[in-house]
Amino acid sequence: MTPVSSHSSMRTVQVLGGGNTAGGAHVRSLAAGLVARGVRVTVCAPVEADRTYDFTGAGAEHVHVPRSSDPGAVAALRAACTGADLVHAHGLHASFRTALALSGRRTPLVVTWHDRAYAEGPRAHFLRVLERRAARAATVVLGTTSVLVDRARRTGARDARLAAVSLPGPRTSPVPDDPDRLRPKVRAELGATGRPLLIAVGSLERHRGYDVLLDAAHAWRRLDPLPLVVLAGEGPLRGELRRRIEDEELPVRLVGRREDVADLLAAADIALLPSRWEARSPLAQEALHARVPLVATRVGGIPELVGDAAELVPYGNARALADAVVRLLDDPERREQLAQRGARQAATWPTEDETVAQVLSVYDELTRPAPLI
């Protein structure tokens, strides 16, 4: 653990909306690192987020603030931020609420954009308005990808920078199962014994591209042995996807939200990421760490994140997605090459320690007393 430093006089408030998995894991990791360096940390988030990420277990104080932007929630957030040296909001909605709560105060506001918010129709315009207001209210906007940094600048951010964001490791260290025994066990549970296993993980929402994935699955039905596609996640499209899988007799299983994604990936032959947009996708990072070949769409921050360690295809092109998978299944040497490249690429990503150090340097810059003239 890093020894307590002069930062023991600093108090920060981390604000989380509670809906983004990557954001919640990042705030937990950041809180733990800041506390280890002597910073006093308060995390404002829904109570269910503290149950999931255990901010108090990281040494932070947790204050329940609901996701809504009603006056009561904003007032609770404003009270929690009283006396803070700096406030750091994560995600669009949390950033907007925090900007409202800090209105009229000179407290520095750091905003991290982990991803983009999605909507269609009138709500899409509403989200663009929130983006502009949050970006312009922030002292510094940190984007997890260059694409998000550019978006923040176009939206009106005074200062937008690329953020170092690590993939947090597990909070506990149980004795792992023997991978040689675990892999066949997981594959048998999923029904993938003696056949290729393709894994996709993420919320069952429109922007994830699962409709395209089901289109691609038609091409895989002619393969022998027949690959099995497993989708791990929950969301509003579950019913629609289930009906398509049944009506079209597709080799796809919906397994719901899973806590053993690492085990699923370890058992997989290929990981799939067919999204319309991704920033620093946790699935992409976990797949490369696990040396599992990845087929992903060439969108958002994915090319920057994976480099040459994945097969990239255009979004919405089911034929390109299907063909990339077929080529990999037929080419074990290419799969091994991607596995090795993935491990090398993962080694270039920032560690949790480096992420905390970068964020703390921003905090120091924004809270440093002005020089006397």
Side-chain angles (χ1 to χ4, degrees):
M1 178 178 291
T2 303
V4 174
S5 68
S6 60
H7 294 105
S8 58
S9 62
M10 181 186 292
R11 176 176 175 252
T12 73
V13 175
Q14 307 288 323
V15 185
L16 181 68
N20 184 286
T21 300
H26 173 65
V27 170
R28 207 282 179 182
S29 173
L30 184 58
L34 292 172
V35 169
R37 288 161 173 80
V39 179
R40 290 177 293 154
V41 178
T42 298
V43 177
C44 293
V47 67
E48 58 267 23
D50 186 47
R51 293 194 192 105
T52 301
Y53 299 106
D54 190 22
F55 303 120
T56 51
E61 176 190 6
H62 172 251
V63 174
H64 169 64
V65 176
R67 299 181 189 181
S68 69
S69 294
D70 64 42
V74 173
L77 184 54
R78 184 175 178 85
C81 292
T82 299
D85 296 295
L86 179 143
V87 179
H88 189 164
H90 301 262
L92 176 59
H93 294 280
S95 302
F96 178 70
R97 286 198 301 276
T98 306
L100 292 178
L102 295 180
S103 178
R105 295 182 179 178
R106 301 183 65 180
T107 309
L109 171 60
V110 177
V111 164
T112 294
W113 284 0
H114 295 271
D115 208 338
R116 278 180 54 189
Y118 297 89
E120 298 177 357
R123 182 163 173 77
H125 173 72
F126 171 69
L127 290 179
R128 287 194 294 271
V129 171
L130 292 192
E131 276 189 333
R132 284 197 299 271
R133 292 187 177 179
R136 293 173 182 178
T139 315
V140 172
V141 176
L142 300 176
T144 60
T145 70
S146 298
V147 175
L148 288 175
V149 173
D150 291 342
R151 186 179 182 87
R153 288 172 179 157
R154 292 195 306 270
T155 306
R158 292 173 281 169
D159 185 343
R161 312 177 191 182
L162 186 64
V165 177
S166 64
L167 178 68
R171 298 201 300 267
T172 58
S173 300
V175 177
D177 290 331
D178 181 350
D180 292 335
R181 292 178 52 222
L182 183 61
R183 179 180 168 89
K185 177 182 176 182
V186 173
R187 293 174 71 94
E189 175 209 329
L190 297 172
T193 300
R195 60 194 296 198
L197 176 61
L198 316 179
I199 294 287
V201 180
S203 57
L204 305 184
E205 298 177 88
R206 192 72 59 189
H207 70 272
R208 296 294 182 188
Y210 291 145
D211 55 337
V212 180
L213 178 55
L214 296 193
D215 291 340
H218 280 275
W220 303 328
R221 292 191 304 180
R222 61 180 172 78
L223 300 180
D224 185 19
L226 177 67
L228 174 65
V229 182
V230 169
L231 300 186
E234 285 293 351
L237 291 187
R238 182 180 181 87
E240 177 182 324
L241 295 173
R242 186 188 69 248
R243 284 190 294 274
R244 275 201 62 187
I245 292 167
E246 294 173 352
D247 293 346
E248 299 169 30
E249 299 182 344
L250 298 175
V252 180
R253 280 193 62 190
L254 303 179
V255 296
R257 186 177 289 109
R258 301 280 294 228
E259 301 297 328
D260 59 344
V261 170
D263 294 340
L264 296 181
L265 279 174
D269 295 291
I270 297 174
L272 303 173
L273 190 64
S275 303
R276 181 190 307 169
W277 166 269
E278 290 284 348
R280 289 187 70 88
S281 161
L283 175 66
Q285 294 178 79
E286 291 174 9
L288 267 60
H289 268 297
R291 300 170 60 90
V292 176
L294 172 69
V295 177
T297 42
R298 190 181 290 106
V299 298
I302 292 299
E304 179 181 24
L305 178 68
V306 304
D308 64 354
E311 294 283 357
L312 299 182
V313 299
Y315 167 73
N317 191 325
R319 173 60 64 86
L321 176 61
D323 289 349
V325 169
V326 171
R327 286 195 303 271
L328 278 180
L329 291 176
D330 287 342
D331 190 347
E333 290 185 4
R334 175 61 175 165
R335 296 201 302 274
E336 179 56 30
Q337 181 186 57
L338 287 179
Q340 294 178 5
R341 288 181 179 179
R344 288 197 297 269
Q345 182 71 6
T348 70
W349 297 333
T351 64
E352 290 185 77
D353 222 39
E354 290 166 342
T355 297
V356 175
Q358 189 222 34
V359 169
L360 195 52
S361 72
V362 174
Y363 291 0
D364 286 339
E365 174 188 338
L366 299 184
T367 59
R368 188 180 301 124
L372 297 176
I373 299 177

